[in-house]
Amino acid sequence: MENKYLARAKQLRNHPAIRYNCAQALLVTFADACGISEEKAFQLGTHFGGGMKMAATCGAITSGLMVIGMMGGGDSQRQAFVSAMRDGHGGLMDCADLLKKNKEMGGERKPHCDGMIYEAVSHIVRIMELL
């Protein structure tokens, strides 16, 4: 059974009228759990998609860390999240590197980015015990 956070992330990424970048989709998904409005979460994530709009650290990772911090997670939760994301992608964490590897494997951008978001959501739910 799919948890409510994963279902919400999928709904946002496939929204017909609004294009949510990776960071926005993750932050809006957890807005209520973080005690902020969806509008503020959307605004907060604006410049973190696409690796801070400069192909640096993946927006699903940076926003995941923001969510963990807003939910009161400490260093052990941060470390668990970063390790899970890094381990799942051969040590790669930068948007440019992740997209390059995905392209070399014949993947398309949107499904790859969606997968990064859904993976981050799943790790946050597990690490923050939101089951």
Side-chain angles (χ1 to χ4, degrees):
M1 185 170 112
E2 189 172 83
N3 71 64
K4 70 179 184 176
Y5 298 103
L6 189 54
R8 179 68 171 139
K10 288 180 179 182
Q11 177 188 37
L12 294 171
R13 281 297 285 185
N14 295 302
H15 195 284
I18 302 171
R19 185 175 179 270
Y20 289 82
N21 70 36
C22 50
Q24 289 169 322
L26 201 88
L27 288 162
V28 172
T29 292
F30 289 100
D32 189 50
C34 292
I36 62 174
S37 70
E38 288 191 4
E39 180 182 0
K40 285 294 176 195
F42 184 84
Q43 291 170 337
L44 180 62
T46 298
H47 299 295
F48 286 88
M52 296 175 278
K53 293 189 174 183
M54 55 187 163
T57 305
C58 171
I61 297 170
T62 56
S63 60
L65 291 170
M66 286 186 246
V67 167
I68 289 168
M70 285 189 287
M71 293 178 72
D75 281 340
S76 63
Q77 289 86 3
R78 176 198 55 81
Q79 186 175 23
F81 178 74
V82 170
S83 292
M85 294 299 290
R86 182 180 288 133
D87 293 349
H89 300 280
L92 302 177
M93 294 186 61
D94 282 352
C95 181
D97 296 333
L98 290 161
L99 288 171
K100 181 180 176 183
K101 181 179 177 185
N102 177 63
K103 186 174 182 177
E104 288 170 355
M105 296 174 62
E108 295 180 30
R109 184 182 182 121
K110 184 173 180 345
H112 166 76
C113 294
D114 288 348
M116 292 296 294
I117 294 162
Y118 307 153
E119 180 182 345
V121 167
S122 296
H123 290 313
I124 292 167
V125 167
R126 178 182 51 79
I127 291 165
M128 299 306 292
E129 300 177 358
L130 299 171
L131 305 175

